DNA sequence: CACGAATGTAAAGATATCTTTACGTTCGTG
DNA sequence: CACGAACGTAAAGATATCTTTACATTCGTG
């Protein structure tokens, strides 16, 4: 099981930079960048901040997928 | 900002033991116990498994709260 | 070209999440 | 009482998340 996310698409659609989003969420730009590029998943706390920030249902942003075999 | 959860209440209402829930979710009993007792928050992946397991919306299980001052 | 803005990335270090092993308590029930 | 089932907890170790600092690339635009 792995989690994929659609943060980059949503962020771009809203015309927000990684920098601004990171500042708004009080994390570093590197953290947002790493999450968008699937270096790792956000913590639950950060994930909740992100869905609040985007004001979207969690399943439109984070998706739990079966691992490819 | 901290995350609180209602896992224990929901689990008990459904009549499931920590042991069974841990097995079903493929984590250790200690992990479920620690999360219920707020030793730490689950990872996003485990949180998504939990909402799927309970088949409930995330905001009825995990709540992002302001820190008490 | 020069520049600023946005993004990618890397490495070291701090802290959080999770496992493994182990021991203790409580409670129901034979 | 003896036993099993459920739960609490602790400590050591592995791995994941996040910060700080730093450098590099890409792209638009004066």
């Amino acid at each position: 099981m792995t989690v994929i996310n659609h943060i980059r698409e949503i962020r771009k659609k809203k015309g927000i930079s990684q920098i601004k989003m990171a500042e708004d969420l009080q994390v570093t730009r590197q953290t947002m960048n790493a999450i968008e590029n699937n270096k790792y998943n956000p913590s639950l706390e950060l994930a909740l901040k992100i869905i609040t920030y985007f004001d979207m249902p969690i399943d439109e942003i984070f998706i739990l997928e079966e691992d490819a075999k």
Side-chain angles (χ1 to χ4, degrees), chain A:
Chain A
M1 300 281 234
T2 47
V3 181
I4 64 163
N5 75 75
H6 295 139
I7 293 173
R8 169 159 298 155
E9 311 152 45
I10 299 167
R11 178 177 61 75
K12 293 210 160 189
K13 191 176 303 181
K14 290 179 181 276
I16 302 166
S17 69
Q18 274 184 4
I19 296 170
K20 171 158 177 44
M21 183 160 169
E23 283 169 355
D24 289 341
L25 295 178
Q26 313 218 65
V27 291
T28 63
R29 178 179 70 80
Q30 285 78 351
T31 294
M32 286 311 307
N33 187 74
I35 291 168
E36 286 195 356
N37 287 310
N38 286 302
K39 296 289 188 290
Y40 48 74
N41 294 121
S43 65
L44 175 59
E45 179 174 338
L46 180 50
L48 292 176
K49 287 182 187 169
I50 291 169
I51 70 175
T52 300
Y53 186 68
F54 282 157
D55 192 27
M56 289 174 67
I58 191 168
D59 57 304
E60 290 181 20
I61 305 175
F62 298 104
I63 298 170
L64 188 59
E65 290 200 334
E66 299 295 328
D67 277 333
K69 272 207 299 279

